[in-house]
Amino acid sequence: MVVYFLEADSQEIMKEQVFYEDGQMDYEGSYNGGVEHGFWTYYWENGSMKSQEFYQNGLEEGTMYDYNKSGEKSIEYIYNHGVLISKNSLN
């Protein structure tokens, strides 16, 4: 299931939430001006965090991580204005 949160006047999508069939959150994130902006968080089916990304005006920005199903950081990504600068395995 997908849930959109709309800005009252413009009807622009401000936030998106997607759920697994069992109702558990799959991922959620925000928009600004029709593009990803702010944190986007993804979850494993067991409810633990799968990854968290940060977008600035539609482009990945900063340090982001993937997590294994036990909740431990597994991969580190560093982005600068949407360009992947480095990717490092943490295992």
Side-chain angles (χ1 to χ4, degrees), residues 55-75:
Y55 289 85
Q56 191 166 20
N57 300 316
L59 301 174
E60 296 97 337
E61 186 65 41
T63 304
M64 303 176 206
Y65 296 97
D66 283 348
Y67 298 82
N68 62 27
K69 289 184 179 181
S70 299
E72 300 164 332
K73 291 178 183 176
S74 59
I75 302 173

Side-chain angles (χ1 to χ4, degrees), residues 75-90:
I75 302 173
E76 176 188 73
Y77 304 87
I78 299 176
Y79 285 89
N80 186 13
H81 295 87
V83 176
L84 180 62
I85 302 301
S86 70
K87 177 180 174 182
N88 299 303
S89 177
L90 301 176

Side-chain angles (χ1 to χ4, degrees), residues 8-9 12 15 19-20 26 29 37 48 54 61-62 81 89 91:
D9 294 329
E12 180 179 327
K15 184 174 182 176
F19 298 86
Y20 290 108
D26 183 357
H37 190 80
S48 65
F54 183 79
E61 186 65 41
H81 295 87
S89 177
N91 294 334

Side-chain angles (χ1 to χ4, degrees), residues 11-68:
Q11 295 296 296
E12 180 179 327
I13 297 173
M14 301 301 293
K15 184 174 182 176
E16 175 180 344
Q17 293 180 330
V18 177
F19 298 86
Y20 290 108
E21 287 185 19
D22 66 1
Q24 179 71 34
M25 178 79 65
D26 183 357
Y27 68 87
E28 62 182 336
S30 300
Y31 292 94
N32 187 15
V35 297
E36 296 94 341
H37 190 80
F39 286 102
W40 282 69
T41 306
Y42 297 81
Y43 301 92
W44 292 103
E45 291 176 346
N46 68 8
S48 65
M49 190 183 309
K50 186 176 190 177
S51 67
Q52 188 170 56
E53 305 168 350
F54 183 79
Y55 289 85
Q56 191 166 20
N57 300 316
L59 301 174
E60 296 97 337
E61 186 65 41
T63 304
M64 303 176 206
Y65 296 97
D66 283 348
Y67 298 82
N68 62 27

